[in-house]
Structure formats: structure tokens, C-alpha cells
Amino acid sequence: MQISIYSLLVILGCGLVTWLPRIIPFLMVRKMRIPQIILDFLSYVPLCILTALLVQSLMIYQPDRWPTLHYQYALATIPTVISAIITKNLMWIVIVGMVAMALIRLFLIYPE
Amino acid sequence: MQGTINSSLIISPKRQLFSIIKKRRKLQIRSIMNHSFKEGVTDCIPTLLGYIGIGIAAGIIGKASNLSILEVTLLAIMVYAGAAQFIITGLIAMSAPITAIIFTVFLVNLRHLLMSMTVAPYFKRFSLLNNIAIGSLLTDETFAVAVNAITKKKSINAHWMQGLNLTAYVAWILSCIVGAVLGNWLPDPYQFGFDYSLIAMFVGLLYLQLISDKTHSIRRNFSIMLIVTILVIFFMRYMVPELALLLATIIGCLTGVIIQKCK
């Protein structure tokens, strides 16, 4: 159990700059009314951020090169989407996705 | 003299009834609070597998990069953000300058500003302390679950959100510690499709968001999704994925507003 001053400073600093953007909007909305244009903008945040999170995790990042598609993840996404349409239940979607991924690894990776 | 004392001691029936109603309402409110906190905990369960898988991975990688268990734990408690923790671990291992690490993490985590701005208005009626607590523990996943509940017009309140947030927070910290302590003995968390649980969750949350969104037309939503997809891939050519995500989201939202204004 040891910690250097260097990593302590890094952790505290990173903690602070992560915390502030998280709480500042919660303090701001109490003090002022948000203009309609900002509300319109924010109404697209869930759709855009979820799409971006999904696309980003389906791609493999390589510095200074075009990202490539993670084929196994992309393949597992097909049954996952189908299960989403059928069940509309998050728990089932996650279970189907994980099982699909495990099966893909089992059948596509090991025979090689 | 005596009469006045007596009259102040005797509680009129009307007042008695009022105090009973008040007491009952207090109990009712408390039971609603408990109920919604528990509901928040339950609503968090589908997302837990993602937290556990990634948290263990973050712990293992932290330990492998020569961070102490204390450092891994503090990172989970203070920073509480998956991608950022991986990045910090990598930069600490390289002994990068402190200011450079902090600035990188600030940019990578700036998306929280957008997420907090989106959900904050729904918790305005609750206390300041409640609001700070909700904001402090907001993550991609709890944000998505909350937004989903809001679009479905489910009555959400601060206690539900605390239940959701705290469950995720505790699961994350414990997973990071387990990863750091037992790392060498655990099976690879990427086996059994654990790593995919996070992506499956994004698929599910995105789909649920799409079908419950009544304010925008499905056609507009699809075109914005297409634009965001292209932008993320394009920006990932030139910058780290988290920045690509932030920029693509901002431009995607702006596009939505512009389409709306042009109609």
C-alpha cells in the first residue's frame, strides 16, 4: 500500500477535472432558465452520444491511421439488435449479446 | 391563567386529525422514497455486467502497469470513468507530465458536461445536495438509463437516480479492486463475451431510445445517426476515440437543431 506524490497529484487533478463538468450543469439549471435553442440542442444528446459510443466501440482505433471495423463485435451486434427488437428488455439484450460473442469466439477463433 | 394553559395543552380534534394525516403522509413519502431507491437499484442490474467486466480489466491493467492497489482504488473512487482510467494508467506508466495527463483527461471526460446538462433540468426540484450527488456519479450508462426512463415518461425522482448511480459506483469500485488484487488468478475478463456486454448495452439503450423518442421523427433520427457514425469514423483517424465521440456528438446535435429550424 504505497502511493507516490506524483500519482496522488495525477489522481486528484484528474478527479477534479472529471467532477466539475459532471456537477456544474446541475448547479447552473437552479440559477437560470435554459433558452429553447439549448433545450433543442440537448434533446439530440442521448441519440447522438449513444450512436457515437456504439460506433466508437465497434471500431479499432489506431493512432494516425483509419480505424478498422472490429469484425467479431460487428457480427455479435446482429443477434443483439434482433433481440432488442423482439424483447425490448435491456437484461435480455445484454445476455444475448454476451452469449453471441462467446459463441463467435468459440467457433470462429479456436479452429484457426 | 389555568384556563389558558389547559387550552394550549388540549389538542383540538381537528388538529389531531391533521397531525395524523401529516404523519401518514410522511410515512407514505418515506415508503415511496425507499421504493424508488430500490427501483433504481433494480434498473441498474442490466448494466452491471458491463461495469464488472470493464472494472476488472481496469484493475488488472492498473496492477500490470505497476500501480499499487491503493492507487487503483483511488482512481476508481475519484475519477470513476472507464476510458479515462485506462488512459491515466497508460500515461502514469509512461511518467507523462502531470499537467498533460490532467488536460487529456479533462478533454476525454468533457462529454459528461453534455450528459449532465441533459438530465439536470429533471432534478431541479430536489435539494442542492441531491443534485450534486446525482451529477458526481453520472456515467454514460446511468445517463442512458435515466434518459430512457425520462422519454418513457416514467416518473423518476432523486432517490431512484441515487439508487441507480450508487449501485453502479459500488460495483465499479469493487470490480477495480478485485481486478487489481486477484488479477493474476482471474480468467481473462475478455473471455466468455464479457467485454461485449458494454456494447450490447449501448445497442439496447440506443434502440430503446429510438422507439421511445416521440419528439423527433424516426427519419430525422436515422439521418442524424448516419451523420454521427460517419463523423466518429472520420475523427478517429485524427484524434483519440473519446475526443472523436465528443466532436461527433456536438456536430450531430447542431445538425438536428439546424434541420429543425429549417423546417
Side-chain angles (χ1 to χ4, degrees), chain B:
Chain B
M1 190 71 177
Q2 221 174 348
T4 51
I5 290 170
N6 272 347
S7 73
S8 72
L9 280 176
I10 294 167
I11 305 167
S12 68
K14 209 175 164 189
R15 222 159 139 198
Q16 215 167 357
L17 191 70
F18 185 69
S19 87
I20 288 172
I21 290 173
K22 220 172 160 186
K23 245 182 221 161
R24 189 174 279 178
R25 185 177 291 171
K26 234 182 211 169
L27 273 175
Q28 236 171 19
I29 289 172
R30 188 166 299 162
S31 88
I32 288 170
M33 268 162 50
N34 276 336
H35 177 65
S36 47
F37 185 87
K38 272 185 205 149
E39 226 171 65
V41 173
T42 321
D43 286 346
C44 191
I45 291 171
T47 67
L48 281 185
L49 286 171
Y51 282 105
I52 295 168
I54 311 275
I56 289 176
I60 292 174
I61 289 167
K63 199 77 219 304
S65 323
N66 287 325
L67 292 188
S68 66
I69 291 166
L70 180 66
E71 285 166 335
V72 170
T73 312
L74 271 181
L75 260 181
I77 294 172
M78 303 289 299
V79 180
Y80 184 42
Q85 281 176 231
F86 283 105
I87 292 169
I88 295 167
T89 307
L91 291 174
I92 287 181
M94 283 163 52
S95 8
I98 295 176
T99 45
I101 303 179
I102 293 175
F103 187 64
T104 310
V105 168
F106 171 69
L107 288 178
V108 162
N109 283 336
L110 211 50
R111 67 176 185 285
H112 290 124
L113 192 72
L114 286 177
M115 299 196 287
S116 284
M117 274 167 82
T118 310
V119 293
Y122 297 93
F123 297 101
K124 225 166 141 177
R125 63 200 160 102
F126 300 101
S127 72
L128 182 68
L129 210 65
N130 253 323
N131 272 270
I132 292 177
I134 291 168
S136 303
L137 298 184
L138 198 70
T139 65
D140 296 336
E141 294 85 352
T142 60
F143 161 77
V145 173
V147 162
N148 221 263
I150 291 167
T151 26
K152 273 187 193 155
K153 298 272 186 294
K154 215 170 124 182
S155 67
I156 64 161
N157 59 42
H159 298 98
W160 177 82
M161 196 66 207
Q162 310 291 16
L164 179 71
N165 269 344
L166 274 176
T167 313
Y169 190 49
V170 171
W172 177 255
I173 296 169
L174 290 181
S175 312
C176 286
I177 296 174
V178 166
V181 175
L182 301 174
N184 303 335
W185 294 284
L186 283 177
D188 182 5
Y190 286 83
Q191 217 184 339
F192 313 121
F194 249 113
D195 53 323
Y196 189 78
S197 64
L198 188 76
I199 303 172
M201 217 172 61
F202 291 146
V203 170
L205 290 169
L206 180 59
Y207 179 77
L208 295 176
Q209 172 64 29
L210 260 179
I211 56 167
S212 55
D213 186 355
K214 298 277 182 284
T215 42
H216 313 304
S217 72
I218 195 91
R219 220 173 121 194
R220 190 189 298 162
N221 278 348
F222 271 132
S223 32
I224 290 170
M225 280 169 68
L226 184 69
I227 292 168
V228 171
T229 303
I230 295 167
L231 286 174
V232 169
I233 295 170
F234 177 74
F235 287 137
M236 272 174 85
R237 165 74 177 77
Y238 301 100
M239 54 190 90
V240 294
E242 288 73 24
L243 274 187
L245 181 149
L246 180 68
L247 265 183
T249 302
I250 291 173
I251 298 177
C253 294
L254 281 176
T255 315
V257 173
I258 291 166
I259 296 174
Q260 211 168 309
K261 284 275 168 287
C262 289
K263 281 218 163 156

